[in-house]
Amino acid sequence: MIDIQDLCKFYQVGGDRVRALDHATLHIYPREFVSIIGPSGSGKSTLMNIIGCLDVADAGVYKLDGLPIGEYSENELAHIRNKKIGFVFQSFNLIPKLSAEENVELPLIYQKVPRGERQQRVREALERVGLQKRAKHLPTELSGGQQQRVAIARALVTRPSLILADEPTGNLDSKTSREIMDIFHELHRQGNTIVLITHDNDVARQAERAIHILDGKITEASL
């Protein structure tokens, strides 16, 4: 699914050229549940952005489902993000004026999915995260954990080949964090490929495999 070879990424900071990724190499297979863990400044956010087709590397090769991502245009990258990747963010990124079901529906509107099919897929996605009874509620009427469930449903509704979660428990208390991780475990059992970015060792250990990154280098991969 994800094939990364010798990725390098540089940023210009003042007069210095900083290497955010240093010949990073990793492979993630279909239906794996993998965590990418590292401290602030380790390069994990840069790696996440490249995996999520939000950025491209300066050197090296990245293939997603066999597609050579580094050769794609901005429009092509946007198409891949919309079709192949479901994003879950730490800050939920819900639209305050839209209900839970309307937030989940939004990616399907962008895909121009017919209304009847949209409604069915939204119902199914909310059921998968146990939130069908809160479908009409606005984000402000939901708890933090419920908002994250909506965000997960939104990621699922396009039926992506990859779920990319960036610190999905970072804004939640420990009890709610466990509930959200239980959802990811269930999604994995259902056959979803999940890549979870975190700085939390306890969260990282819940994945099948933990990929460690430090100073832009993949330093360890452990089962």
Side-chain angles (χ1 to χ4, degrees), residues 51-114:
I51 291 174
C53 299
L54 297 166
D55 199 357
V56 293
D58 294 314
V61 176
Y62 170 35
K63 291 183 179 180
L64 176 62
D65 290 338
L67 301 174
I69 299 303
E71 302 172 11
Y72 278 56
S73 68
E74 285 295 329
N75 286 339
E76 289 171 327
L77 289 174
H79 179 76
I80 289 172
R81 288 195 300 270
N82 200 24
K83 289 287 187 180
K84 288 184 170 290
I85 305 172
F87 292 92
V88 180
F89 297 100
Q90 177 178 347
S91 56
F92 317 139
N93 286 4
L94 302 179
I95 297 176
K97 293 183 179 180
L98 298 183
S99 67
E101 64 182 2
E102 289 169 335
N103 268 284
V104 175
E105 183 184 23
L106 205 55
L108 299 180
I109 293 174
Y110 294 147
Q111 289 186 1
K112 299 181 180 179
V113 174

Side-chain angles (χ1 to χ4, degrees), residues 9 11 21 43-57 62 69 77 81 85 87 89 164 166 197:
K9 182 68 179 181
Y11 294 107
L21 289 179
K44 67 181 186 296
S45 294
T46 299
L47 182 59
M48 181 206 73
N49 287 338
I50 292 174
I51 291 174
C53 299
L54 297 166
D55 199 357
V56 293
Y62 170 35
I69 299 303
L77 289 174
R81 288 195 300 270
I85 305 172
F87 292 92
F89 297 100
L164 187 59
D166 181 19
I197 288 80

Side-chain angles (χ1 to χ4, degrees), residues 1-60:
M1 153 139 325
I2 292 173
D3 184 11
I4 286 174
Q5 295 280 352
D6 284 327
L7 278 196
C8 294
K9 182 68 179 181
F10 302 94
Y11 294 107
Q12 200 70 30
V13 180
D16 298 324
R17 193 177 190 227
V18 176
R19 189 192 294 264
L21 289 179
D22 189 358
H23 297 282
T25 294
L26 66 91
H27 307 278
I28 297 172
Y29 299 96
R31 301 193 174 192
E32 267 201 294
F33 183 1
V34 173
S35 62
I36 297 175
I37 182 166
S40 178
S42 63
K44 67 181 186 296
S45 294
T46 299
L47 182 59
M48 181 206 73
N49 287 338
I50 292 174
I51 291 174
C53 299
L54 297 166
D55 199 357
V56 293
D58 294 314

Side-chain angles (χ1 to χ4, degrees), residues 167-212:
E167 301 279 7
T169 62
N171 284 341
L172 305 174
D173 61 48
S174 58
K175 178 179 180 294
T176 307
S177 295
R178 288 193 295 271
E179 293 171 353
I180 293 301
M181 289 305 300
D182 286 344
I183 291 176
F184 281 116
H185 287 302
E186 180 59 29
L187 294 175
H188 177 234
R189 285 191 289 269
Q190 293 171 5
N192 292 279
T193 304
I194 300 172
V195 177
L196 189 152
I197 288 80
T198 184
H199 68 278
D200 188 323
N201 282 306
D202 290 336
V203 172
R205 278 194 291 265
Q206 295 188 53
E208 286 183 312
R209 182 159 60 101
I211 295 170
H212 298 252

